[in-house]
Amino acid sequence: FKGTLNIGILSGLKLPAIVQQTLTAFCEIYPDIQLTFENHNIKRILSLLHKEKLDACFIMKDFIPESEDTNYLPLFDVPKYLIYSPKLFPSEKQDITVADMKNEVFFSLYEDDTDYTRPLIQKYCQQYNFTPITRSLPNIESVISNIEFGKGIAILDGLTTLTTAEKIEKLTLSPPHTLCLAWQKTPKSSLLPLLAQEFQLTFAKE
């Protein structure tokens, strides 16, 4: 087997060790198959996958559109957090919940208004009886900077790299995310099933 597989990874996402080890093992088994990686936001990754510019991607199940065109392999659960600055609340306030965030801006990672994650944020907040204010930002750095200054909050996964100068707080949300390997049901590359099989074998052991 010989060729190249282009793999998408969400911007800011740090792949856990077991995923990196599986990719390394795949390369050792198939030394003539090259893996290349691209980091993009959710919309860009899904667009490239649909256009077959990416062969597969690592993405959270919540972000995969309900479509007959996409296959996905659930790998494992990932914690889901609401990230906020302690500047938003008095130091004596205890037992903070999502309901306490009803007047805050919820940031999401998009470069325009066609934001697939807004409906997910709105649906999540319905159980707390409020409609969230949402705002799209182009990258994870912009989201973190605004949170640090107390300008809003965000729902992020436990694999997102948080590099901050200021202290930020995490509120664990339920249910968690699920990290998946996703690809088109009719993949352009005949090599893709080999990669999917390697991940199936690895995570069947877990």
Side-chain angles (χ1 to χ4, degrees), residues 37-189:
F37 301 94
E38 299 180 17
N39 293 79
H40 300 286
N41 66 23
I42 300 164
K43 180 185 176 183
R44 181 69 175 158
I45 276 189
L46 293 174
S47 174
L48 292 173
L49 190 67
H50 181 71
K51 294 175 181 176
E52 298 184 328
K53 300 289 182 65
L54 289 174
D55 295 296
C57 66
F58 291 102
I59 193 168
M60 301 303 168
K61 184 177 180 295
D62 287 352
F63 304 149
I64 302 172
E66 294 184 7
S67 166
E68 296 180 356
D69 297 335
T70 308
N71 269 341
Y72 65 88
L73 175 66
L75 302 179
F76 52 83
D77 288 343
V78 175
K80 182 190 296 181
Y81 299 115
L82 191 150
I83 309 296
Y84 65 96
S85 167
K87 296 174 183 177
L88 296 179
F89 300 102
S91 58
E92 65 273 11
K93 184 170 178 57
Q94 302 293 322
D95 301 321
I96 293 169
T97 71
V98 176
D100 295 312
M101 307 291 179
K102 64 182 180 180
N103 296 321
E104 304 300 330
V105 176
F106 282 70
F107 295 122
S108 58
L109 286 170
Y110 267 80
E111 295 172 354
D112 55 40
D113 291 331
T114 56
D115 187 341
Y116 297 163
T117 61
R118 283 186 185 181
L120 297 175
I121 296 171
Q122 291 166 348
K123 183 178 180 180
Y124 191 85
C125 292
Q126 281 177 357
Q127 61 187 305
Y128 296 95
N129 300 312
F130 72 93
T131 300
I133 306 162
T134 59
R135 180 184 167 194
S136 302
L137 292 173
N139 50 54
I140 187 64
E141 291 81 9
S142 300
V143 170
I144 297 303
S145 292
N146 278 277
I147 291 173
E148 285 183 310
F149 283 100
K151 301 298 183 182
I153 61 180
I155 296 176
L156 299 175
D157 61 82
L159 297 180
T160 298
T161 303
L162 301 178
T163 303
T164 62
E166 300 287 335
K167 182 181 179 182
I168 58 174
E169 300 288 349
K170 296 179 181 179
L171 178 64
T172 302
L173 304 180
S174 181
H177 279 303
T178 300
L179 181 68
C180 298
L181 177 69
W183 64 93
Q184 293 291 89
K185 278 196 174 175
T186 53
K188 179 180 68 173
S189 174

Side-chain angles (χ1 to χ4, degrees), residues 21-33:
Q21 290 162 7
T22 304
L23 293 169
T24 299
F26 177 83
C27 292
E28 291 172 352
I29 296 169
Y30 303 103
D32 292 326
I33 299 178

Side-chain angles (χ1 to χ4, degrees), residues 8-24:
I9 303 172
L10 288 178
S11 292
L13 192 103
K14 179 176 175 57
L15 293 178
I18 189 169
V19 173
Q20 296 185 34
Q21 290 162 7
T22 304
L23 293 169
T24 299

Side-chain angles (χ1 to χ4, degrees), residues 2-7 26-27 30-37 55 191:
K2 187 174 183 178
T4 300
L5 287 172
N6 300 313
I7 312 297
F26 177 83
C27 292
Y30 303 103
D32 292 326
I33 299 178
Q34 302 298 315
L35 299 182
T36 64
F37 301 94
D55 295 296
L191 304 175

